[in-house]
Amino acid sequence: MEIFELKLLIVGAGEVGRELIKRLQKEWKLIVIDLSEEKLVKIVEVLNSESLNRVKLIQGDGTSKLLLKRVGIESVTAFVACTGDDEVNIEACRLAKEFNVPSIFSVSNSREHDEWYEREGIDYVNKAVATASLLEKQIESGVVSPTNIGLGQGEIIEVTITPMSIVAGYPVGKFTSRRWRIVAIFRGDKLILPKPKTVIKPGDRILIVGDPKILKYIAGLIRSGEPQFPLQFGTEEVVFLERRSDSLLKDAKFFYENTKVSKLSFYSCEDFGKRVVETFKEAKSGEVKVKKLNGCEKEFFEIVRGENFGILIMPPKYSEIPLFFGIKTFPVIVAEETLSPVVIAKGTTPTERILVPVSGSFSSLRALEVGIEISLMTNSELTALYVSLYENDPKIERLREKLAKISSMYKKNINFKVRYGNPVREFSKESEGYNLSIVGCRKGRKTNWFNPYPPFHMVHRSKCTSMLICVGD
């Protein structure tokens, strides 16, 4: 039976190399190369008794192909170059690539030399940038991104909870999603592994794990309580233009100007005027790009599938009729595939009144949270609509209590309206007096004539611009 052994070759026994050895000595077999005998002697000082026979110290040149072969580079699992000389690091990594080492890493000692590593396709960490980034977060925001655990890419952060934080006083289960999760709470000298009902308190330090692209925005929302939509989903607004549509462009511009998106991409099935792009550039400083699609819907879907976007804007051409035959519409398919907000633009923005249908389900409450954020950012009135099949429904009072708590947490008034009858039909009637409706749905739900799934129909039958937000399983 073959025994797999973790083996790491380190070129450079300075402070970085020594710290790396200290952290990895229990699990890895280590080979350390350095020209300095003095530095190698210092390595012995950080080794525990159990690791002495697992660490091999070699005095020599880490850029010598012959030496690397003699010490067994062909059998190592990973390679790290961490000398104080970037030229030495680059050359050592090149040799490691020649020996087909599976994982190769390096330390960059100067911003001016980062491009060397990028040109060679070498994974690297800039020493100054990593240190400054960590200090910046600790000094300015109370948010700490550990650089020595996980992937070291900001996918793990620590946030200190203030009394004004929107999570203070509420259970952990209220604030998790597919893209981020609260995994630990430090309360004084205690570590708490939270359950969904664990309540977060001011002064707690919470550990969050998630997508590095959005995690810093989630941290900002948690600490400040300020709305960050749609950064919890992504930073880019994507507009699908099958053909020129003034109503679609109106809604697209509204979301671009009034939310936190920093990039805007147009995907068009036909050419449209440069003046349109210039109008968006004048409205807000940010990256604006345009791409002409040859395959139209099919090509657009291949571009967006599996990616994270802040918001996707689509035309109102799609009918709900396929849903009755168990066939999902294109906006629904895109919403399920991306788990990003999909807007069916009908040109009814800017928003003064926002409508969110609620049922108490996780997906409807997630839509309500987005509605709260947008209403705070645009100073809009927000209404939560519950459609019941009968009077004296006990769920009405439960929803009223839940909405009161959410309203208090976000410091936002929420109008609660109850209608009776068919949920889709009553929602459609109510939506006529609003500028934006936001509908939550569960990914993967089936729908047909005999067993329709209301959210899919609501987003199409809305009389105003509508937004569909899918949550995963």
Side-chain angles (χ1 to χ4, degrees):
M1 181 178 66
E2 183 180 358
I3 299 175
F4 179 78
E5 188 175 40
L6 294 173
K7 188 183 294 185
L8 173 66
L9 197 161
I10 301 173
V11 174
E15 291 183 355
V16 175
R18 192 159 61 248
E19 185 64 27
L20 196 58
I21 293 162
K22 183 179 177 181
R23 292 167 182 266
L24 298 179
Q25 60 179 303
K26 290 183 180 180
E27 304 293 336
W28 289 73
K29 186 173 182 179
L30 303 173
I31 304 169
V32 186
I33 300 175
D34 200 291
L35 286 170
S36 170
E37 183 180 0
E38 182 180 352
K39 290 180 180 179
L40 293 172
V41 170
K42 288 183 178 180
I43 295 295
V44 179
E45 298 172 4
V46 304
L47 299 178
N48 57 45
S49 57
E50 297 175 355
S51 302
L52 286 173
N53 62 349
R54 294 174 56 83
V55 180
K56 182 185 295 186
L57 304 178
I58 307 293
Q59 184 178 3
D61 181 2
T63 63
S64 166
K65 192 171 184 177
L66 180 60
L67 177 62
L68 292 173
K69 190 169 184 177
R70 282 179 175 173
V71 301
I73 190 173
E74 293 166 310
S75 64
V76 303
T77 313
F79 179 95
V80 175
C82 52
T83 76
D85 188 330
D86 285 322
E87 291 185 349
V88 171
N89 291 344
I90 287 286
E91 182 58 26
C93 288
R94 281 178 183 152
L95 292 174
K97 289 175 74 173
E98 289 184 22
F99 284 106
N100 297 314
V101 176
S103 300
I104 302 170
F105 309 94
S106 185
V107 171
S108 173
N109 297 282
S110 170
R111 287 298 300 272
E112 296 178 359
H113 298 158
D114 287 358
E115 64 181 66
W116 295 358
Y117 296 94
E118 292 170 0
R119 193 163 53 238
E120 293 293 331
I122 298 167
D123 290 329
Y124 70 97
V125 174
N126 183 287
K127 201 157 45 173
V129 171
T131 304
S133 177
L134 180 60
L135 288 172
E136 176 195 18
K137 286 180 171 61
Q138 289 177 299
I139 293 167
E140 292 189 348
S141 66
V143 178
V144 182
S145 295
T147 58
N148 56 358
I149 58 177
L151 303 175
Q153 297 175 356
E155 78 285 355
I156 305 172
I157 62 172
E158 179 188 296
V159 183
T160 301
I161 303 304
T162 66
M164 296 301 293
S165 171
I166 65 166
V167 304
Y170 291 90
V172 167
K174 175 72 178 167
F175 302 98
T176 55
S177 76
R178 186 187 78 158
R179 294 189 173 102
W180 63 278
R181 191 154 298 177
I182 298 170
V183 296
I185 298 175
F186 299 99
R187 184 170 294 160
D189 58 355
K190 293 182 179 179
L191 167 65
I192 299 171
L193 299 178
K195 297 179 180 179
K197 293 184 179 180
T198 302
V199 175
I200 302 168
K201 298 180 180 181
D204 285 349
R205 292 177 294 123
I206 63 174
L207 199 65
I208 308 174
V209 176
D211 184 347
K213 294 178 181 178
I214 65 170
L215 215 52
K216 63 180 179 180
Y217 303 115
I218 296 299
L221 173 62
I222 288 174
R223 279 190 55 80
S224 68
E226 294 181 0
Q228 301 287 320
F229 179 81
L231 299 181
Q232 63 267 52
F233 300 99
T235 61
E236 183 178 358
E237 177 179 333
V238 173
V239 181
F240 175 56
L241 271 170
E242 188 181 40
R243 60 180 61 87
R244 173 67 182 261
S245 167
D246 290 337
S247 62
L248 185 147
L249 292 172
K250 180 185 177 186
D251 287 345
K253 189 174 182 182
F254 168 78
F255 285 108
Y256 185 57
E257 289 180 326
N258 292 281
T259 66
K260 299 280 187 176
V261 292
S262 57
K263 294 186 290 185
L264 176 64
S265 296
F266 286 98
Y267 292 95
S268 175
C269 302
E270 60 182 36
D271 293 323
F272 62 96
K274 292 183 179 179
R275 179 56 192 161
V276 173
V277 177
E278 293 302 320
T279 301
F280 278 83
K281 287 183 176 179
E282 291 167 2
K284 181 178 180 178
S285 60
E287 180 186 347
V288 179
K289 65 178 184 180
V290 179
K291 181 176 180 179
K292 172 79 168 11
L293 301 175
N294 295 319
C296 209
E297 284 183 356
K298 183 178 180 181
E299 185 178 353
F300 177 75
F301 182 70
E302 290 302 319
I303 291 171
V304 301
R305 68 183 306 178
E307 297 294 330
N308 296 334
F309 297 102
I311 187 169
L312 297 102
I313 315 292
M314 304 186 70
K317 56 167 276 189
Y318 301 98
S319 166
E320 68 173 322
I321 292 176
L323 297 172
F324 292 111
F325 299 96
I327 302 170
K328 293 178 181 178
T329 62
F330 191 51
V332 170
I333 292 171
V334 171
E336 287 193 319
E337 183 65 32
T338 64
L339 295 186
S340 296
V342 171
V343 171
I344 298 179
K346 297 179 181 176
T348 57
T349 60
T351 60
E352 294 181 359
R353 303 183 70 207
I354 299 173
L355 178 67
V356 182
V358 294
S359 62
S361 68
F362 177 74
S363 58
S364 72
L365 294 178
R366 178 56 53 85
L368 182 64
E369 290 173 355
V370 170
I372 291 171
E373 284 201 77
I374 296 176
S375 67
L376 288 170
M377 298 169 86
T378 59
N379 196 27
S380 302
E381 178 184 309
L382 179 64
T383 298
L385 173 69
Y386 174 60
V387 181
S388 177
L389 296 175
Y390 56 92
E391 295 190 24
N392 301 319
D393 183 348
K395 196 172 185 180
I396 295 174
E397 191 56 37
R398 291 198 299 269
L399 273 173
R400 184 176 283 112
E401 292 175 1
K402 186 181 288 287
L403 291 173
K405 290 181 180 179
I406 294 173
S407 175
S408 174
M409 178 174 66
Y410 284 96
K411 299 176 178 60
K412 170 66 184 179
N413 290 329
I414 303 174
N415 303 319
F416 181 43
K417 184 172 285 192
V418 179
R419 279 179 172 264
Y420 299 93
N422 179 283
V424 177
R425 188 180 302 119
E426 295 303 318
F427 164 79
S428 180
K429 291 178 184 177
E430 182 68 28
S431 67
E432 192 163 7
Y434 294 82
N435 310 103
L436 175 67
S437 64
I438 304 175
V439 181
C441 72
R442 176 70 68 173
K443 178 181 179 180
R445 288 297 298 267
K446 295 181 179 180
T447 187
N448 54 52
W449 190 286
F450 302 102
N451 188 25
Y453 182 49
F456 292 164
H457 291 269
M458 287 176 175
V459 74
H460 286 289
R461 217 180 289 188
S462 173
K463 304 294 186 183
C464 60
T465 293
S466 57
M467 178 186 294
L468 183 64
I469 299 175
C470 277
V471 298
D473 297 328

